[in-house]
Amino acid sequence: MRAKSSFEYAIVRVVPRVERGECINAGVIIHCAAHDYLGARIELDEARLLAVAPDVDLESVCRHLAAIPRVCEGGPDAGPIGLLSRKERFSWLVATRSTMIQTSEVHVGLCDAPDRVLDRLLDKLVRVPRPR
């Protein structure tokens, strides 16, 4: 069995009106240096966002959220940031912002498969629980 490795993650949040501070969790970014992994999954619940902010520019929000996985992937398609190392891209993505797209503080954990952890974090922190 492979030893567990440390990872860092942050929740991606949409804050439609920054002055109100209300947010909708829309995704998760995870970085695991030992696995050479940087990934993000975005699953915006548009109905929830529109319930909080009926006048939000949904197209703009989705366009900005879609950039996050591209930055994680890296390369020229992600612009100048895409050419940085994985750690530098993660640091850039989770930097404090006062814009409509924000991330939580960075949390840490241990894992042996970062892609599976990413899915579990989405279940726990982003996806709306279904009634039993």
Side-chain angles (χ1 to χ4, degrees):
M1 182 175 169
R2 188 173 176 174
K4 294 193 180 229
S5 303
S6 64
F7 71 92
E8 305 168 279
Y9 74 94
I11 304 163
V12 177
R13 297 177 171 150
V14 178
V15 185
R17 291 184 54 201
V18 176
E19 69 276 11
R20 290 181 60 100
E22 297 170 331
C23 66
I24 302 294
N25 291 351
V28 176
I29 305 167
I30 185 171
H31 176 252
C32 181
H35 288 265
D36 204 23
Y37 184 90
L38 175 61
R41 291 203 193 129
I42 304 296
E43 292 186 12
L44 176 63
D45 185 330
E46 294 177 3
R48 287 180 72 207
L49 178 58
L50 290 170
V52 172
D55 60 340
V56 71
D57 182 348
L58 197 53
E59 183 180 323
S60 176
V61 168
C62 290
R63 189 174 58 252
H64 285 88
L65 288 172
I68 294 170
R70 277 198 315 275
V71 169
C72 287
E73 257 185 61
D77 288 343
I81 301 299
L83 302 178
L84 299 174
S85 71
R86 281 182 177 84
K87 177 62 178 167
E88 290 170 316
R89 292 194 316 268
F90 178 75
S91 295
W92 184 84
L93 285 166
V94 300
T96 303
R97 292 174 173 81
S98 61
T99 61
M100 189 180 292
I101 307 297
Q102 300 180 14
T103 57
S104 70
E105 61 278 1
V106 174
H107 304 281
V108 297
L110 294 172
C111 73
D112 53 7
D115 54 334
R116 287 198 315 257
V117 170
L118 183 52
D119 199 49
R120 284 197 305 269
L121 289 170
L122 278 169
D123 276 342
K124 183 177 181 179
L125 304 170
V126 177
R127 297 173 179 143
V128 177
R130 297 174 192 229
R132 296 178 190 216

